[in-house]
Amino acid sequence: MATQPLAELLAESDNIVRALDAANEVVELMRITHSVLHRAHNETHGEAHEVAAELSHSLHYMRQVAEALRRTIEKQMCEQPETEVPRTAVANYPQEYARADEHP
């Protein structure tokens, strides 16, 4: 089995981390939105109350799907092979691949 070049391994790892960050943000935004809808549901009556209840129910389902996405990405991270990267390889890695926050 051929090994992937260091640049590919680092890029793939970075992509998974960014995907997990995005999934966490989606879950958090949905949690906040669900809370706001719940408040609107409690503060209204009649047609507005029913619409808020319907939205809340739909968002609850979407939240469950977003949490499943997050768990899937976490599982993918755990299944990713551990890569031993020599310190010299990282130290000599081209600057154009370095993260923006690593520059002075």
Side-chain angles (χ1 to χ4, degrees):
M1 181 171 110
T3 58
Q4 291 179 299
L6 178 60
E8 287 180 30
L9 289 172
L10 292 174
E12 184 176 326
S13 176
D14 196 38
N15 288 344
I16 292 174
V17 169
R18 284 195 311 270
L20 182 58
D21 286 346
N24 283 327
E25 288 175 14
V26 168
V27 168
E28 181 63 12
L29 286 170
M30 289 195 173
R31 184 193 65 76
I32 292 167
T33 305
H34 194 223
S35 175
V36 171
L37 276 171
H38 185 72
R39 229 176 46 229
H41 178 256
N42 288 338
E43 298 295 328
T44 58
H45 60 278
E47 187 178 349
H49 181 81
E50 296 304 318
V51 170
E54 187 176 328
L55 278 171
S56 180
H57 179 72
S58 296
L59 190 58
H60 177 74
Y61 171 74
M62 290 175 57
R63 243 178 106 180
Q64 290 175 329
V65 173
E67 289 170 359
L69 172 64
R70 180 180 60 192
R71 287 190 302 273
T72 301
I73 294 170
E74 287 172 344
K75 182 179 175 188
Q76 185 178 355
M77 283 181 77
C78 292
E79 291 173 352
Q80 190 177 34
E82 292 288 324
T83 306
E84 289 293 323
V85 179
R87 283 205 171 283
T88 55
V90 174
N92 295 327
Y93 201 71
Q95 285 301 311
E96 63 266 17
Y97 296 114
R99 290 178 26 193
D101 59 358
E102 292 176 349
H103 292 284

